[in-house]
Amino acid sequence: MEKRKFKKVLIVDDVVTTGSSIHALTQALQRLGCQQISSICIAAAHPSMK
């Protein structure tokens, strides 16, 4: 992957169930050189629904 100039990234997700998508994206962004990664979601699945 090509290094990017963006150092701060905000991940916006509609629903978080296990968090694996955000985790995988965070790891990829770190490999690209992002220094600050934040995430926000609209809703989270209740633990009993996983």
Side-chain angles (χ1 to χ4, degrees), residues 2-3 5 10 14 16 25-26 29 32 38 46 48 50:
E2 180 182 326
K3 294 273 184 182
K5 64 181 178 179
L10 173 63
D14 55 350
V16 174
L25 182 54
T26 298
L29 289 168
L32 289 173
S38 302
H46 191 276
S48 66
K50 290 183 183 178

Side-chain angles (χ1 to χ4, degrees), residues 4-5 7 11-12 14 17-18 22 26 29 33-35 41 43-45 47 49:
R4 301 288 178 188
K5 64 181 178 179
K7 300 296 180 185
I11 301 168
V12 180
D14 55 350
T17 49
T18 64
I22 290 177
T26 298
L29 289 168
C34 293
Q35 297 173 348
C41 72
M49 304 207 46

Side-chain angles (χ1 to χ4, degrees), residues 1 3 6 9 16-17 23 27 30 32-33 36-40 42 44 46-47:
M1 286 190 241
K3 294 273 184 182
F6 305 107
V9 175
V16 174
T17 49
H23 180 73
Q27 289 180 325
Q30 287 173 334
L32 289 173
Q36 181 179 346
I37 303 165
S38 302
S39 63
I40 187 169
I42 306 304
H46 191 276

